[in-house]
């Protein structure tokens, strides 16, 4: 078996401009994402509004562009009005989705204050589980209407006179899932989402509305759900959502390493379905994808299970997965897949941001640290600039149970012609075999290597912990160099690499 990966790159292999919204994340009222995650009054780093500034700094360093809020499964039982007005008057409620109590000390206004400090665009999900059109319209008016009507005056009375101008709105969450409060058939949801969208557009025609697609590509209704929902809602919505979580199951490392093959297939299938509906309805508009939940998530692990019994804790430890070096490589590959589909994936949200299946972890009253997955996200967000370029790739393949045969390497590139900068993102997903990289860059003209960073650990299960937060970090890959217009170097087995190149200064 050859141990070479040959990349063919050309500035004309353009897919689409890099979209900043690819680098979104997600903050749900779940576990310790909000309480002791982004918000912890009394923490040594807390600001005047109770937000942890250590988490704010890490959020900025992560390069997060937009943040979806407030759920997730949580939103399907949420009363948004519980979270506005004087904090001391807000009710404590049971959250059935995560068997927790929510004190509602953080709500829409606090989230918007946090989003401004973090420099992120908000994406707001309305409750179409236990609630409907009226409440969706109410929260839209509270958030976006200029002063002069009841709900916007209420916002002003709560200290926020200016409309927030939230553009992206999710019409519910995972309504295809039987676990969802108010779960619906495709037909039931299609009618509700369409009518809700129609009213929201009457309030503000410029909103970007996201209708629920499937909770993952293994759902029995996958495909049929998108077809039914989009056939009804096509004219009223801009995007259809997609969600997916991967994990190594039953020791099947090879299938896990090939997870991005499933993401590619998922995206291609949703695009095909959306375009089928477009043809059927004879429309010009194309529906885009909001990949508004994606990540690695070990759902079988104890920390992922909601508490049960009579105990309804506030901010319990939930879904606090610790990520390994291998998880970070698969994660970086998922970002490669999202970037590669920038022509149709208009927005994406890493689920989630802090503590809950998150790149940022915190200890209540203590430090905040970076998980392994922090690094590929931060580096891709920072250096994916300009146009996304498709990369033709010739590499050995490896067998796996889930997909049969998968390429041992995967890659995408971005090229900024004005700045003369090229970024190549490449993974070696082979479990055992190092790969020798060989890429012909002659079509880009004269370039030099600025930096090559590889994330790899000899133990693929090595993790970053509070005590040892720098166990798995990207390191300079000194083997990467240009030889007569060819980029060459060594990619260790199970590794993620970023190579940055630039035109030499004149
Ligand atoms: O992100 C965790 C949960 O996963 C979300 O609440 C839900 O939408 C999905 O099933």
């Amino acid at each position: 078996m050859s141990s070479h990966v040959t990349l063919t790159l050309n500035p004309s292999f353009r897919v689409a401009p890099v979209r900043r919204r690819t680098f979104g994340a997600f903050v749900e009222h779940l576990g310790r994402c909000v309480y002791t995650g982004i918000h912890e009054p009394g923490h040594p780093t807390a600001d005047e509004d109770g937000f942890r500034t250590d988490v704010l700094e890490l959020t900025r360093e992560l390069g997060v562009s937009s943040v979806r809020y407030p759920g997730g499964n949580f939103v399907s039982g949420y009363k948004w009005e519980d979270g506005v007005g004087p904090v001391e008057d807000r009710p404590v409620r049971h959250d059935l989705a995560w068997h927790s109590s929510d004190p509602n000390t953080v709500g829409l206004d606090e989230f918007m204050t946090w989003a401004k400090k973090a420099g992120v665009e908000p994406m707001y999900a309305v409750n179409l589980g236990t609630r409907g059109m009226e409440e969706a319209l109410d929260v839209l008016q509270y958030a976006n209407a200029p002063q002069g009507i009841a709900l916007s005056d209420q916002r002003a009375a709560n200290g926020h006179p200016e409309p927030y101008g939230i553009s992206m709105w999710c019409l519910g969450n995972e309504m295809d899932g039987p676990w969802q409060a108010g779960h619906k058939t495709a037909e039931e949801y299609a009618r509700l989402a369409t009518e809700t969208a129609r009213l929201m557009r009457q309030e503000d025609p410029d909103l970007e509305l996201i209708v629920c697609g499937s909770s993952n590509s293994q759902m029995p209704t996958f495909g049929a759900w998108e077809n039914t929902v989009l056939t009804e809602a096509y004219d009223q919505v801009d995007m259809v959502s997609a969600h997916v979580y991967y994990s190594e199951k039953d020791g099947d490392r090879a299938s896990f390493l090939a997870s991005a093959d499933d993401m590619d297939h998922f995206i291609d299938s949703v695009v095909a379905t959306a375009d089928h509906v477009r043809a059927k309805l004879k429309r010009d508009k194309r529906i885009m994808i909001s990949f508004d939940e994606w990540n690695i998530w070990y759902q079988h692990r104890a920390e992922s299970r909601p508490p049960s019994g009579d105990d309804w804790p506030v901010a319990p430890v939930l879904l606090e997965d610790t990520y390994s070096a291998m998880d970070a490589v698969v994660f970086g590959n998922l970002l490669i897949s999202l970037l590669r589909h920038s022509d149709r994936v208009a927005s994406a949200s890493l689920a989630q941001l802090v503590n809950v299946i998150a790149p940022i972890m915190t200890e209540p009253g203590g430090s905040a640290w970076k998980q392994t997955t922090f690094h590929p996200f931060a580096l891709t967000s920072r250096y994916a600039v300009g146009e996304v370029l498709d990369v033709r790739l010739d590499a050995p393949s490896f067998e796996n149970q889930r997909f049969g045969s998968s390429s041992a390497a995967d890659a995408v590139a971005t090229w900024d012609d004005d700045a003369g900068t090229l970024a190549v993102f490449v993974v070696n997903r082979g479990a055992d075999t190092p790969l020798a990289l060989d890429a012909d860059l002659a079509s880009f003209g004269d370039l030099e290597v600025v930096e090559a960073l590889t994330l790899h650990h000899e133990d693929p299960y090595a993790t970053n912990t509070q005590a040892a937060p720098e166990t798995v970090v990207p390191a300079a890959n000194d083997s990467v160099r240009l030889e007569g217009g060819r980029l060459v170097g060594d990619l260790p087995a199970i590794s993620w690499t970023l190579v940055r190149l630039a035109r030499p200064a004149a």
Side-chain angles (χ1 to χ4, degrees):
M1 185 171 78
S2 154
S3 58
H4 281 74
V5 51
T6 307
L7 308 184
T8 307
L9 281 117
N10 191 297
S12 65
F13 291 177
R14 262 184 237 116
V15 175
V18 175
R19 298 171 190 267
R20 292 315 308 159
R21 282 177 173 173
T22 305
F23 306 103
F26 179 26
V27 166
E28 176 169 4
H29 284 242
L30 193 183
R32 300 195 307 111
C33 189
V34 172
Y35 306 113
T36 73
I38 63 168
H39 194 252
E40 190 180 342
H43 186 272
T45 73
D47 67 10
E48 66 286 0
D49 296 311
F51 296 117
R52 287 184 63 144
T53 56
D54 55 351
V55 173
L56 276 168
E57 276 162 31
L58 285 172
T59 301
R60 290 187 210 104
E61 187 183 335
L62 188 60
V64 174
S65 55
S66 52
V67 174
R68 182 169 177 249
Y69 176 85
N73 296 341
F74 169 82
V75 80
S76 295
Y78 182 51
K79 294 187 166 87
W80 69 270
E81 55 273 42
D82 287 348
V84 298
V87 171
E88 58 280 10
D89 296 342
R90 298 186 193 175
V92 178
R93 301 264 189 211
H94 280 171
D95 161 29
L96 303 185
W98 301 107
H99 200 86
S100 311
S101 293
D102 197 311
N104 279 304
T105 47
V106 171
L108 176 56
D109 292 320
E110 287 79 17
F111 174 70
M112 292 305 298
T113 301
W114 178 85
K116 194 168 177 197
K117 292 182 187 203
V120 301
E121 178 186 7
M123 171 193 251
Y124 195 87
V126 301
N127 175 356
L128 291 189
T130 59
R131 310 188 95 186
M133 284 178 270
E134 185 174 354
E135 295 87 353
L137 204 54
D138 284 352
V139 68
L140 172 62
Q141 290 181 347
Y142 182 91
N144 280 8
Q147 282 183 67
I149 61 171
L151 284 158
S152 57
D153 285 350
Q154 192 185 333
R155 181 194 67 232
N158 290 337
H160 307 279
E162 292 306 315
Y164 291 128
I166 301 173
S167 183
M168 289 191 287
W169 292 77
C170 303
L171 300 165
N173 176 69
E174 294 189 349
M175 299 310 305
D176 64 322
W179 59 86
Q180 201 69 211
H183 162 236
K184 292 172 177 51
T185 65
E187 289 76 14
E188 289 166 347
Y189 174 67
R191 291 293 306 132
L192 177 59
T194 305
E195 289 307 303
T196 305
R198 204 164 55 77
L199 289 182
M200 291 175 79
R201 281 211 187 286
Q202 283 177 9
E203 177 71 30
D204 179 350
D206 296 329
L207 298 178
E208 296 172 90
L209 299 180
I210 299 143
V211 74
C212 289
S214 293
S215 301
N216 61 69
S217 64
Q218 303 307 306
M219 294 298 289
T221 50
F222 177 55
W225 173 277
E226 282 79 358
N227 191 7
T228 303
V229 168
L230 287 176
T231 299
E232 184 80 26
Y234 203 91
D235 294 336
Q236 297 298 343
V237 301
D238 304 283
M239 294 181 241
V240 60
S241 72
H243 292 181
V244 79
Y245 296 97
Y246 299 102
S247 62
E248 183 183 1
K249 294 192 181 80
D250 305 322
D252 183 3
R253 184 190 286 194
S255 299
F256 177 51
L257 283 164
S259 295
D261 285 5
D262 179 72
M263 188 181 245
D264 288 340
H265 168 75
F266 191 170
I267 295 169
D268 293 343
S269 304
V270 175
V271 166
T273 308
D275 287 352
H276 162 75
V277 177
R278 174 175 179 256
K280 194 168 69 177
L281 299 180
K282 302 183 174 55
R283 297 293 191 268
D284 290 334
K285 169 174 105 174
R286 281 187 201 278
I287 297 288
M288 307 300 269
I289 294 176
S290 168
F291 218 119
D292 47 44
E293 288 188 33
W294 69 271
N295 205 346
I296 317 290
W297 178 10
Y298 290 88
Q299 301 193 25
H300 61 278
R301 287 185 185 163
E303 58 267 35
S304 273
R305 287 191 214 115
S308 56
D310 295 334
D311 189 26
W312 292 83
V314 175
V317 171
L318 263 179
L319 284 63
E320 299 203 8
D321 285 24
T322 302
Y323 292 118
S324 67
M326 180 163 62
D327 292 331
V329 171
V330 173
F331 180 100
N333 195 180
L334 297 177
L335 274 169
I336 288 173
S337 171
L338 289 170
L339 270 177
R340 178 171 38 238
H341 290 96
S342 294
D343 53 335
R344 295 305 290 268
V345 176
S347 178
S349 307
L350 165 64
Q352 300 194 3
L353 180 68
V354 192
N355 290 328
V356 171
I357 42 173
I360 301 170
M361 298 301 291
T362 69
E363 183 195 21
S367 67
W369 65 100
K370 302 170 187 172
Q371 293 237 45
T372 58
T373 53
F374 186 99
H375 300 288
F377 192 102
L379 288 167
T380 309
S381 175
R382 180 174 310 164
Y383 293 114
V385 180
E387 297 280 337
V388 179
L389 302 183
D390 200 15
V391 174
R392 312 281 155 82
L393 188 144
D394 187 15
S397 54
F398 65 101
E399 303 304 306
N400 60 86
Q401 274 180 29
R402 177 112 192 252
F403 309 103
S405 178
S406 301
S407 166
D410 196 10
V412 74
T414 63
W415 168 242
D416 183 343
D417 196 27
D418 293 336
T421 55
L422 176 68
V424 182
F425 304 90
V426 54
V427 282
N428 178 354
R429 352 189 256 188
D432 313 303
T433 321
L435 290 173
L437 172 70
D438 179 8
D440 183 351
L441 301 183
S443 54
F444 293 88
D446 201 13
L447 290 178
E448 57 191 23
V449 174
V450 177
E451 184 180 36
L453 293 169
T454 292
L455 186 142
H456 166 76
H457 197 283
E458 60 187 25
D459 174 7
Y461 295 101
T463 59
N464 291 344
T465 59
Q466 185 180 18
E470 308 233 318
T471 307
V472 182
V473 289
N477 185 334
D478 296 330
S479 70
V480 175
R481 63 204 181 276
L482 278 165
E483 275 181 4
R486 301 190 85 83
L487 184 68
V488 298
D490 303 324
L491 308 176
I494 314 184
S495 66
W496 174 93
T497 295
L498 159 66
V499 185
R500 296 172 51 217
L501 302 108
R503 272 189 214 120

